[in-house]
Amino acid sequence: AEPEPMKIMISGPPASGKGTQCELIKKKYGLVHIAAGDLLRAEIGAGTENGKRAKEYMEKGMLVPSEIVVMMVKERLLQPDAQEKGWLLDGYPRSLSQATALEDLRIQPDLFILLDVSEEILIERVVGRRLDPVTGKIYHLKYSPPENEEIAARLTQRFDDTEEKVKLRLKTHHQNVEDVLSTYKDVIFKVNGDAPIEGVFAEIDKALSSILDKKSRTDSAS
Ligand code: AP5
């Protein structure tokens, strides 16, 4: 039988590199990437009531109320693709109540990756970040520039990517992170996220392949 698929959470302050690492993890391990922020931006884009409410909080760098976020993530997580291939939960849970909601469903990660990045670096990353609306790819003007002029010309910026707003997002992160970490203390894997993209991924890659290894050994033993 196939070994159980991997279940991974990734957390870290705003612009610490969660989305960037998720792209690399997804490419190598085929996990289904579920990003709370992306789900919320999709609601905003679709012009739904939930999207409108969510945007008011996101503009202030605050957590969107749980009654909007919890159902949205839960529904995505329970879809067949995520159950079959395994999942990579990005930016969720971000509060004790969100963590508790998952515990109640007996949803637990094999690993909780925490990207640790210093504050000056975060601000530089936010201000230089750009997104390609066509491919969804994340760029940085200095660290990960677009491949050609055509892409460069269509890049967009997120509405909450200003120095002022990232400070508010960072404050929200500091207020909530300890509660979440205490829930997952047995599976936390802290990575130095100040390093270049490939270096950060190398650390994560090692941890994930060892989990996969363990899972396949347990499986063949049973
Ligand atoms: P969300 O979209 O999750 O934003 P965030 O946590 O602030 O994280 P980011 O997406 O900004 O950054 P990232 O860590 O993915 O970094 P990236 O890889 O892009 O949430 C937005 C809002 O939604 C929240 O403020 C909140 O209001 C709401 N929300 C979300 N989840 C919620 C929840 N669970 N509950 C309630 N509300 C919720 O990288 C950043 C830049 O740096 C890029 O330009 C990249 O190219 C560059 N870069 C990345 N890694 C490196 C590296 N190693 N070296 C150099 N450059 C790098």
Side-chain angles (χ1 to χ4, degrees), residues 65-76:
S66 283
E67 73 250 29
I68 297 179
V69 186
V70 171
M71 272 303 286
M72 208 176 64
V73 173
K74 187 175 124 186
E75 273 173 17
R76 185 62 193 91

Side-chain angles (χ1 to χ4, degrees), residues 24-155:
L24 298 170
I25 296 169
K26 185 173 132 188
K27 203 152 106 199
K28 175 147 184 192
Y29 293 94
L31 303 179
V32 174
H33 177 207
I34 303 173
D38 290 347
L39 293 176
L40 289 168
R41 282 183 289 276
E43 289 285 322
I44 295 176
T48 64
E49 268 317 304
N50 277 346
K52 278 179 208 151
R53 271 195 72 202
K55 192 170 183 196
E56 291 171 23
Y57 291 86
M58 292 165 81
E59 282 186 321
K60 295 183 198 132
M62 289 162 66
L63 291 185
V64 171
S66 283
E67 73 250 29
I68 297 179
V69 186
V70 171
M71 272 303 286
M72 208 176 64
V73 173
K74 187 175 124 186
E75 273 173 17
R76 185 62 193 91
L77 206 52
L78 296 175
Q79 303 264 315
D81 62 339
Q83 294 301 307
E84 279 155 24
K85 296 179 193 160
W87 43 258
L88 175 59
L89 201 47
D90 168 2
Y92 192 93
R94 279 194 211 217
S95 65
L96 191 59
S97 75
Q98 292 175 10
T100 309
L102 290 182
E103 293 273 292
D104 289 346
L105 294 166
R106 301 191 190 289
I107 295 176
Q108 272 159 347
D110 298 308
L111 195 70
F112 185 99
I113 302 168
L114 177 66
L115 296 177
D116 190 23
V117 178
S118 56
E119 206 158 309
E120 317 84 73
I121 292 186
L122 293 175
I123 294 181
E124 196 192 8
R125 286 191 189 169
V126 156
V127 176
R129 170 163 52 191
R130 296 292 183 278
L131 301 164
D132 183 346
V134 176
T135 61
K137 199 172 160 195
I138 307 164
Y139 290 93
H140 190 282
L141 295 179
K142 181 165 159 198
Y143 300 114
S144 189
E147 295 86 351
N148 59 50
E149 277 304 311
E150 190 190 343
I151 297 174
R154 67 184 186 218
L155 295 182

